[in-house]
Amino acid sequence: MSTTSRLVEVRQNVMKHNDVLARALRDRFEAEEIYVVSLVSSPGAGKTAFLERTLTTLRDRFRVAALVGDLATENDAARLARSCVPVKQITTGTICHLDAQMVESALSDWRPLKLDYLFIENVGNLVCPSSYDLGENLRVVLMSVTEGEDKPLKYPTIFNTADAGILTKMDLAAAAEFDLESACSNIQAVRPGIPVLQVSAKNGAGFEAWLDFVQSRREQFSAVTTR
Amino acid sequence: MSTTSRLVEVRQNVMKHNDVLARALRDRFEAEEIYVVSLVSSPGAGKTAFLERTLTTLRDRFRVAALVGDLATENDAARLARSCVPVKQITTGTICHLDAQMVESALSDWRPLKLDYLFIENVGNLVCPSSYDLGENLRVVLMSVTEGEDKPLKYPTIFNTADAGILTKMDLAAAAEFDLESACSNIQAVRPGIPVLQVSAKNGAGFEAWLDFVQSRREQFSAVTTR
């Protein structure tokens, strides 16, 4: 079908264009020694609650900021403003993911960027964000205990492009009859060797391990870039 | 940017092509007196559990079948096979939604279709499926109590294209501190007047009302088509 093959071709061009922009972003973040973490998940897996607690804990010792993507509303930026760090909302309209151009534009009036960490919360979607490099150093996929243990098998690409997995809402694990072993085994089946952490943004469980993890990843990154 | 405007143009052509196919499907379903219900939601909102209970209850009195969409795996079809009705899996690869062509192809070896109800479970995604007409009579958007009450505001298009809303996993409402009033008010803000039902596929709560609802909608449809 000619429209479909044309769509594929034009999409490939858009993807290539995104890769070029993402590479430029990554070079810039490296030059400015900013460690960039992106968060992807289903809608409602708890990215914003996770990010709020992360920002609130890190802000005492680090310069942190966040970009948050949604189709509509500034709700997430308003929630994250409670963490008292710079936060900017990107509203995508009907677009199902962030791209490198949106990240670049959102950062344009934050020059010069004096940051240790930049967090980017993607649109809630387990499909589309997987294909778009945002220039991040660490892509984290979140999955809540209420979503069903089979999600990694059903949405393999996003798990496959992630550098770490976070199981969220662990406080609901018993009520949801969550099968931890099955979830971990499904994640490992799709992305062997990926580190998987368990957290509850509600009661704070697991955040110490998560913050240790992200800091050690940043230190490895700094050791390489300042070598 | 020229690639982006080309992408928009080619996408519009694909959408128009989908509308033509969806119209043909709708005409065919009407001629064969099949009432078609599609289900959309986030990944993990409970579409498959909801559908399994629906099929199992309806099969005694009606001829029912289902198509289920996922990027990968035949898991949902295997789960739904327990309901002992015809079920077919559509695996979309990296495509974030079903379209009319996929529905038509999946039905091709089910001719002639002797059904009262056909259910179509879309890929779990609160963005992309909203734009693709599948020839359905009733589009139902599901939202679980663990996803956060703000989802209708953040993903307005999918709620806006739905004919009914279902709040799922009501058995977890207390554990998740679900605010029913806020959720309903957000749904109504985006889609005023839409009927909203509450169910738990785990304990069966709310299914009687849901089955009454879908049957009364089908009767209205039959009354119009056989007039």
Side-chain angles (χ1 to χ4, degrees):
Chain A
M1 199 167 44
S2 73
T3 47
T4 304
S5 55
R6 275 176 63 212
L7 182 63
V8 169
E9 187 197 327
V10 178
R11 241 182 213 157
Q12 281 168 342
N13 289 341
V14 171
M15 301 287 273
K16 270 186 214 153
H17 181 65
N18 186 75
D19 285 341
V20 172
L21 285 177
R23 199 178 308 133
L25 274 176
R26 185 168 282 112
D27 290 346
R28 177 179 153 197
F29 293 143
E30 189 177 317
E32 301 185 7
E33 293 180 44
I34 303 168
Y35 192 68
V36 182
V37 181
S38 78
L39 307 179
V40 292
S41 79
S42 299
K47 289 183 297 304
T48 312
F50 175 80
L51 188 50
E52 185 178 353
R53 195 177 262 270
T54 300
L55 296 175
T56 305
T57 316
L58 287 177
R59 72 168 183 221
D60 293 336
R61 287 174 295 149
F62 299 98
R63 296 165 302 175
V64 292
L67 303 176
V68 284
D70 264 310
L71 269 63
T73 83
E74 302 260 330
N75 291 4
D76 283 359
R79 278 173 70 188
L80 292 173
R82 297 186 301 212
S83 63
C84 301
V85 310
V87 175
K88 192 177 282 188
Q89 182 84 46
I90 304 172
T91 47
T92 66
T94 55
I95 298 174
C96 54
H97 58 84
L98 294 182
D99 63 28
Q101 178 72 66
M102 295 178 201
V103 171
E104 188 183 75
S105 303
L107 295 175
S108 60
D109 54 357
W110 273 0
R111 297 306 307 269
L113 271 176
K114 297 279 187 197
L115 290 175
D116 300 306
Y117 289 97
L118 173 67
F119 290 87
I120 306 174
E121 178 184 331
N122 217 312
V123 174
N125 189 317
L126 276 188
V127 189
C128 315
S130 62
S131 312
Y132 289 82
D133 185 0
L134 305 179
E136 69 269 63
N137 302 106
L138 187 77
R139 183 180 287 191
V140 179
V141 61
L142 291 83
M143 170 178 148
S144 80
V145 299
T146 62
E147 284 175 57
E149 298 79 1
D150 59 348
K151 290 300 158 296
L153 305 178
K154 291 166 96 177
Y155 301 86
T157 310
I158 202 134
F159 282 84
N160 211 260
T161 63
D163 304 297
I166 307 272
L167 299 171
T168 62
K169 307 193 189 184
M170 286 302 294
D171 54 288
L172 291 176
E177 296 176 19
F178 178 62
D179 183 340
L180 176 63
E181 196 180 332
S182 161
C184 289
S185 127
N186 290 338
I187 295 174
Q188 296 298 331
V190 171
R191 181 75 156 131
I194 191 174
V196 178
L197 301 166
Q198 303 165 39
V199 304
S200 163
K202 195 167 173 183
N203 63 28
F207 269 78
E208 205 171 326
W210 152 244
L211 294 167
D212 284 351
F213 171 80
V214 75
Q215 286 173 63
S216 85
R217 286 298 179 106
R218 178 172 167 267
E219 281 159 21
Q220 288 167 23
F221 160 77
S222 301
V224 172
T225 57
T226 59
R227 200 163 46 184
Chain B
M1 196 169 46
S2 73
T3 46
T4 305
S5 54
R6 275 177 61 214
L7 182 63
V8 169
E9 188 196 327
V10 177
R11 239 182 216 155
Q12 281 168 343
N13 289 342
V14 172
M15 302 288 273
K16 269 186 216 154
H17 181 64
N18 186 75
D19 285 340
V20 172
L21 285 177
R23 198 179 309 133
L25 275 177
R26 186 169 281 110
D27 288 348
R28 176 178 153 198
F29 294 142
E30 189 177 318
E32 302 185 11
E33 292 180 45
I34 303 168
Y35 191 68
V36 182
V37 180
S38 77
L39 307 179
V40 292
S41 79
S42 299
K47 290 184 295 303
T48 312
F50 175 80
L51 187 50
E52 185 178 353
R53 195 176 262 270
T54 300
L55 296 174
T56 305
T57 316
L58 287 177
R59 72 168 183 220
D60 293 336
R61 284 174 298 149
F62 300 98
R63 298 164 302 175
V64 291
L67 303 177
V68 284
D70 264 310
L71 267 65
T73 84
E74 302 260 332
N75 291 5
D76 284 0
R79 278 172 70 187
L80 292 173
R82 297 186 302 213
S83 63
C84 302
V85 310
V87 175
K88 192 176 282 190
Q89 182 85 43
I90 304 173
T91 46
T92 65
T94 56
I95 298 174
C96 53
H97 58 85
L98 295 181
D99 63 27
Q101 178 71 65
M102 296 178 201
V103 171
E104 188 183 76
S105 303
L107 294 176
S108 61
D109 53 357
W110 273 359
R111 299 306 306 269
L113 272 177
K114 298 277 186 199
L115 290 175
D116 299 306
Y117 289 97
L118 173 67
F119 289 87
I120 306 174
E121 179 184 331
N122 216 312
V123 175
N125 188 319
L126 276 188
V127 187
C128 315
S130 61
S131 312
Y132 289 82
D133 185 359
L134 304 179
E136 70 268 62
N137 302 105
L138 187 77
R139 182 180 289 192
V140 178
V141 60
L142 290 83
M143 169 178 149
S144 80
V145 299
T146 63
E147 284 176 57
E149 297 79 1
D150 59 348
K151 290 301 158 298
L153 305 179
K154 291 166 96 177
Y155 301 86
T157 310
I158 202 133
F159 283 84
N160 210 260
T161 62
D163 304 299
I166 307 273
L167 299 171
T168 62
K169 307 193 189 184
M170 287 303 294
D171 54 287
L172 291 175
E177 297 176 20
F178 178 62
D179 182 341
L180 176 64
E181 196 179 332
S182 162
C184 289
S185 130
N186 289 339
I187 295 172
Q188 295 299 331
V190 171
R191 181 75 155 132
I194 190 175
V196 178
L197 301 165
Q198 304 164 38
V199 304
S200 163
K202 195 168 174 183
N203 63 29
F207 269 79
E208 204 171 326
W210 151 245
L211 294 166
D212 284 350
F213 172 80
V214 76
Q215 286 174 65
S216 85
R217 285 298 179 105
R218 178 172 167 266
E219 281 159 20
Q220 287 165 27
F221 158 79
S222 302
V224 172
T225 56
T226 57
R227 201 163 49 185

